[in-house]
């Protein structure tokens, strides 16, 4: 555990929005900071009002909220005033379609301005905005639109084709609005004034589906009050300042894109850069140079890809505008932090959160010395406990379940129509009986209070920073006519953190060759999602199962990695 610590200079400490996380943690209370947001009345707040409207009626009115580049290089920019007006027009349009408070409005778009306007519009109406990553295929779309009983889907002509095969099975889906069809052509005829719904802090604002070990993805629902934590974490962890140009490379199909590309960011008045183009190292550096990006928030896989690409490419660009770099979503290896310090003169700052936590929980702050490999320290007010399966607190440097006392405003409110599953996220601490939120991750805390990620406590896969449930992939695999059954694991990978590996039992008489592997892999890619398909397939005669018939992924993983397979007492004969 002895690590080379990266100390911070006194000037970076003095200029940071938060200059001592330990001191702040001692007396922290949200009460003091909720005043920095706009409340309509006691307990009444609307996240969209705080992200956009507040700015449109202030000196920030003509400030650029969104710099946008399409994948063909088309450049646009929208001020806070313009985002306010566009989102108001969409809110009117949706209202005319019959959308009411609490209705689910789903958005399935690549990163285009209408995605951002529509998201804000849904919140202004008091509807529940759901976003879906544009790589999703028919099965993934169906699972989400069906379970949420979505009323409206905002998409485009190309992506809407993925709905064709499942649309008739979605009786609640009343309207499919196309940004390159009638909707796009007409919403701008609506009034630019709209009265934002005076929602309660507890009202549903947005939902995101996420994967666990078993079953279909769960709809994680967040309330309007989540913006309190998103605003404050964007300020103290991402260190956003009013005049900053900020670039978050995440997609709003995932929680980072919502919390830190839209809500927390705009609530701080920063300008956001959004690019629809795919990852390309030279283009990424060009964006930083051209927009003079000050704060860059990305993911370890992307940084590893930049590091792998070339050690000199970055020196061809002027990256001197950069002030703070942060990353999230998967472990950030120490080598990459050192590389970034050499390449950019700045280290990447790792931080940790989940779809369910709605905002950053543990972080490396601009003012905190970095212990490379650690996720940093808990956000002020967040109480972390590392416990054993019975809920006993473990001493420093002992690996256990990473849990939080459920006391922060962006903790998920519920899982859409799955109350029992929601309850399963909580346990009681021993002996105090204090309620704990259980992350599903394993970690330890060192003697200085830094938290170190160890791994998942379940079979959930993180590939290139994206969360994938093995059950979803297994279900997609067995839908292939030649597949009898399948077991899926995350296999460690230097670049992507993990890749999806599938062990597949074929129908009798089917020949398992390379061509068949490719065919099956493409089948999952097309039906489930462009990012959640197995990059590796191994044909096997049989899968290890418990006596009750459950596939033991733990054993597949141990075998794959050449590790001891552990307790096999529940294993059927294999
Ligand atoms: P998601 O809900 O998709 O954001 O995924 C959350 C999961 O990503 C966590 O439960 C962790 O397993 C993983 N994760 C997020 N941030 C980090 C990090 N900084 N280091 C390691 N794992 C992380």
């Amino acid at each position: 555990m002895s690590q080379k610590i990266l100390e911070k200079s006194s000037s970076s400490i003095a200029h940071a929005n938060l200059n001592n996380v330990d001191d702040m943690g001692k007396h922290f209370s949200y009460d003091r900071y909720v005043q920095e947001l706009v409340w309509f009345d006691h307990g009444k707040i609307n996240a969209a009002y705080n992200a956009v409207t507040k700015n449109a009626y202030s000196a920030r009115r003509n400030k650029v909220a969104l710099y946008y580049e399409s994948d063909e290089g088309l450049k646009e920019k929208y001020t806070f005033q313009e985002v306010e007006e566009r989102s108001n027009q969409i809110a009117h349009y949706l209202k005319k379609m019959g959308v009411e408070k609490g209705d689910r409005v789903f958005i399935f778009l690549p990163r285009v301005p209408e995605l951002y306007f529509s998201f804000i519009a849904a919140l202004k109406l008091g509807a529940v905005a759901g976003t879906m990553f544009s790589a999703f295929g028919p099965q993934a779309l169906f699972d989400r639109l069906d379970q949420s009983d979505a009323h409206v889907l905002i998409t485009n002509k190309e992506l809407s084709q993925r709905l064709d095969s499942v649309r008739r099975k979605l009786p609640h889906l009343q309207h499919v609005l196309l940004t390159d069809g009638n909707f796009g052509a007409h919403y701008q005829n609506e009034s630019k004034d709209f009265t934002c719904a005076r929602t309660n802090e507890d009202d549903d604002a947005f939902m995101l589906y996420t994967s666990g070990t078993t079953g279909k993805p769960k709809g994680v629902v967040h309330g309007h009050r989540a913006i309190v934590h998103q605003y404050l974490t964007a300020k103290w962890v991402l260190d956003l300042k009013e005049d900053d140009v900020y670039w978050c490379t995440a997609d709003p199909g995932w929680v980072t894109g919502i919390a830190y590309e839209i809500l927390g960011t705009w609530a701080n008045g920063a300008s956001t850069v959004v690019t629809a183009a795919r990852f390309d190292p030279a283009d990424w550096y060009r964006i930083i140079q051209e927009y003079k990006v000050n704060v860059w928030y990305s993911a370890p896989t992307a940084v590893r890809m930049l590091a792998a690409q070339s050690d000199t490419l970055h020196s061809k660009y002027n990256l001197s505008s950069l002030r703070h770099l942060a990353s999230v979503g998967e472990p950030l290896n120490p080598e990459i932090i050192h590389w970034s310090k050499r390449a950019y003169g700045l280290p990447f700052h790792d931080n940790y959160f989940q779809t369910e936590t709605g905002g950053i929980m543990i972080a490396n702050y601009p003012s905190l010395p970095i212990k490379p490999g650690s996720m940093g320290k808990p956000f002020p007010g967040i109480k972390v406990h590392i416990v054993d399966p019975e809920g006993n607190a473990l001493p420093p440097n002992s690996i256990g379940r990473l849990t939080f006392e459920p006391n922060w405003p962006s903790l998920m409110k519920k899982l859409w129509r799955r109350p029992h599953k929601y309850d399963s996220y909580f346990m009681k601490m021993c002996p105090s009986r204090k309620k704990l939120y259980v992350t599903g991750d394993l970690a330890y805390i060192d003697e200085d209070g830094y938290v170190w990620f160890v791994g998942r406590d379940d079979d959930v896969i993180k590939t290139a920073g994206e969360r994938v449930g093995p059950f979803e992939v297994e279900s997609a695999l067995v839908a292939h006519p030649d597949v009898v059954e399948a077991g899926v694991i995350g296999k460690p990978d230097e670049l992507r953190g993990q890749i999806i590996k599938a062990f597949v039992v074929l129908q009798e008489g089917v020949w398992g060759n390379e061509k068949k592997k490719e065919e099956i892999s493409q089948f999952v890619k097309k039906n489930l999602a462009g990012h959640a398909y197995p990059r590796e397939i191994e044909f096997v005669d049989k899968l290890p199962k418990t006596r009750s018939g459950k596939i033991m992924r733990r054993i597949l993983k141990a075998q794959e990695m050449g590790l001891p397979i552990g307790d096999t007492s529940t294993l059927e004969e294999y």
Side-chain angles (χ1 to χ4, degrees):
M1 270 160 234
S2 71
Q3 281 282 347
K4 194 174 150 224
I5 296 179
L6 294 185
E7 296 293 345
K8 295 299 172 67
S9 69
S10 49
S11 87
S12 68
I13 296 176
H15 290 109
N17 287 340
L18 176 69
N19 41 46
N20 191 320
V21 64
D22 295 329
D23 282 354
M24 183 57 84
K26 283 180 200 147
H27 311 288
F28 179 83
S29 150
Y30 284 101
D31 295 347
R32 216 183 118 196
Y33 299 97
V34 292
Q35 311 306 334
E36 294 180 18
L37 293 145
V38 179
W39 295 75
F40 299 122
D41 214 339
H42 182 70
K44 288 197 178 288
I45 187 169
N46 188 300
Y49 190 98
N50 275 281
V52 177
T53 313
K54 171 185 85 179
N55 296 317
Y57 287 92
S58 76
R60 293 176 185 157
R61 179 180 309 122
N62 297 320
K63 197 188 155 183
V64 175
L66 179 67
Y67 288 103
Y68 174 69
E69 272 198 31
S70 74
D71 47 5
E72 286 106 30
L74 176 82
K75 295 175 190 178
E76 293 172 3
K77 52 186 176 190
Y78 298 89
T79 62
F80 279 108
Q81 176 69 32
E82 287 165 332
V83 177
E84 168 73 358
E85 290 172 359
R86 297 290 183 107
S87 55
N88 283 349
Q89 291 173 316
I90 295 179
H92 275 295
Y93 194 96
L94 293 176
K95 200 169 176 183
K96 281 193 184 156
M97 299 266 118
V99 175
E100 292 179 359
K101 186 167 180 233
D103 287 350
R104 272 75 62 213
V105 173
F106 269 69
I107 305 167
F108 180 45
L109 284 171
R111 289 190 292 275
V112 292
E114 276 86 1
L115 191 170
Y116 301 83
F117 307 153
S118 303
F119 180 84
I120 293 292
L123 268 62
K124 283 181 171 176
L125 266 167
V128 190
T131 53
M132 296 186 293
F133 187 41
S134 54
F136 283 152
Q139 186 62 47
L141 292 180
F142 174 75
D143 290 342
R144 287 155 179 80
L145 296 170
D146 176 51
Q147 207 268 341
S148 65
D149 284 346
H151 294 66
V152 175
L153 176 68
I154 301 177
T155 182
N156 65 21
K157 284 182 188 155
E158 189 191 334
L159 291 182
S160 69
Q161 291 170 20
R162 301 201 201 142
L163 203 67
D164 291 348
S165 59
V166 294
R167 173 91 202 251
R168 68 189 158 77
K169 294 192 285 175
L170 295 165
H172 293 277
L173 186 61
Q174 289 155 14
H175 304 285
V176 176
L177 307 179
L178 304 178
T179 51
D180 47 0
N182 270 350
F183 164 66
H186 296 314
Y187 81 80
Q188 287 181 57
N189 300 331
E190 300 292 337
S191 162
K192 291 179 177 170
D193 294 317
F194 184 84
T195 308
C196 185
R198 295 185 159 236
T199 36
N200 287 316
E201 58 177 338
D202 227 10
D203 284 344
D204 299 347
F206 63 92
M207 66 194 291
L208 279 158
Y209 277 80
T210 195
S211 304
T213 303
T214 53
K216 296 278 187 193
K218 311 157 280 192
V220 172
V221 182
H222 287 286
H224 282 269
R225 65 166 173 242
I227 196 158
V228 173
H229 188 70
Q230 293 162 344
Y231 160 77
L232 211 51
T233 43
K235 185 168 171 174
W236 288 353
V237 179
L238 303 178
D239 202 43
L240 288 184
K241 315 216 194 271
E242 163 133 32
D243 291 328
D244 276 342
V245 176
Y246 161 78
W247 185 29
C248 169
T249 61
D251 188 283
W254 311 116
V255 68
T256 307
I258 289 184
Y260 300 109
E261 199 175 41
I262 309 181
L263 296 176
T265 324
W266 279 346
N268 277 281
S271 306
T272 292
V273 178
V274 169
T275 161
R278 292 177 74 88
F279 173 78
D280 173 77
D283 202 41
W284 275 33
Y285 290 138
R286 196 249 327 144
I287 285 169
I288 295 171
Q289 173 178 282
E290 187 169 329
Y291 293 93
K292 299 192 174 51
V293 172
N294 307 113
V295 179
W296 180 22
Y297 193 24
S298 199
T301 295
V303 189
R304 281 192 291 267
M305 285 179 172
L306 288 170
Q309 187 66 204
S310 140
D311 232 5
T312 52
L313 185 63
H314 57 86
S315 58
K316 302 199 172 94
Y317 296 83
N318 180 354
L319 308 180
S320 61
S321 57
L322 289 173
R323 186 186 78 244
H324 183 54
L325 317 181
S327 101
V328 71
E330 38 166 343
L332 182 66
N333 8 4
E335 314 85 76
I336 289 295
I337 298 176
H338 296 303
W339 175 82
S340 120
K341 185 99 202 316
R342 281 198 309 277
Y344 311 130
L346 298 166
F348 263 90
H349 292 72
D350 187 19
N351 60 66
Y352 167 95
F353 75 111
Q354 305 180 293
T355 308
E356 294 89 333
T357 69
I360 295 167
M361 304 299 285
I362 299 168
N364 285 284
Y365 308 83
S367 55
L368 182 74
I370 297 178
K371 290 194 184 187
S374 153
M375 302 192 289
K377 291 194 176 185
F379 193 74
I382 301 291
K383 301 222 165 22
V384 178
H385 299 279
I386 304 291
V387 299
D388 68 14
E390 281 72 49
N392 297 297
L394 295 173
N397 296 318
S398 312
I399 297 172
R401 294 180 174 187
L402 173 64
T403 70
F404 302 112
E405 288 181 30
N407 66 347
W408 72 100
S410 66
L411 172 62
M412 64 173 165
K413 282 182 52 196
K414 61 186 175 195
L415 291 179
W416 189 258
R417 294 190 184 139
R418 296 188 62 185
H420 297 304
K421 191 80 193 168
Y422 178 80
D423 291 344
S424 72
Y425 272 91
F426 298 91
M427 70 186 289
K428 290 271 193 295
M429 201 166 174
C430 206
S432 66
R433 311 287 299 153
K434 203 179 255 174
K435 191 175 176 183
L436 296 177
Y437 164 81
V438 185
T439 60
D441 289 311
L442 297 172
Y444 65 90
I445 305 183
D446 71 14
E447 52 293 325
D448 299 322
Y450 283 76
V451 187
W452 299 74
F453 179 84
V454 174
R456 286 290 306 181
D457 195 18
D458 57 21
D459 296 332
V460 166
I461 301 165
K462 266 268 160 156
T463 177
E466 277 149 12
R467 181 162 156 184
V468 176
F471 178 79
E472 270 182 279
V473 185
E474 288 161 1
S475 308
L477 282 162
V478 296
H480 187 285
D482 293 339
V483 175
V484 178
E485 53 184 7
V488 164
I489 60 161
K491 177 178 171 180
D493 180 78
E494 267 197 19
L495 199 60
R496 294 185 165 80
Q498 290 187 322
I499 56 160
I500 299 172
K501 170 153 189 182
F503 297 84
V504 169
V505 180
L506 289 173
Q507 298 281 5
E508 242 184 83
V510 176
W511 187 235
N513 53 18
E514 289 305 312
K515 199 163 151 249
K516 187 58 69 188
K517 286 183 188 170
E518 182 59 17
E519 178 194 315
I520 294 173
S521 170
Q522 289 305 317
F523 176 84
V524 176
K525 190 172 185 175
K526 184 163 168 281
N527 289 311
L528 182 64
H531 67 284
Y533 67 96
R535 283 180 184 267
E536 232 180 271
I537 291 184
E538 185 175 326
F539 295 121
V540 291
D541 296 334
K542 213 171 169 200
L543 290 169
K545 285 196 202 137
T546 59
R547 294 201 183 94
S548 57
K550 219 173 111 205
I551 294 168
M552 293 185 85
R553 301 185 189 109
R554 167 175 76 74
I555 291 186
L556 290 172
K557 189 149 184 171
Q559 283 173 342
E560 177 67 35
M561 296 174 68
L563 297 170
I565 57 174
D567 179 14
T568 53
S569 55
T570 57
L571 191 68
E572 69 162 16
E573 207 186 320
Y574 174 55

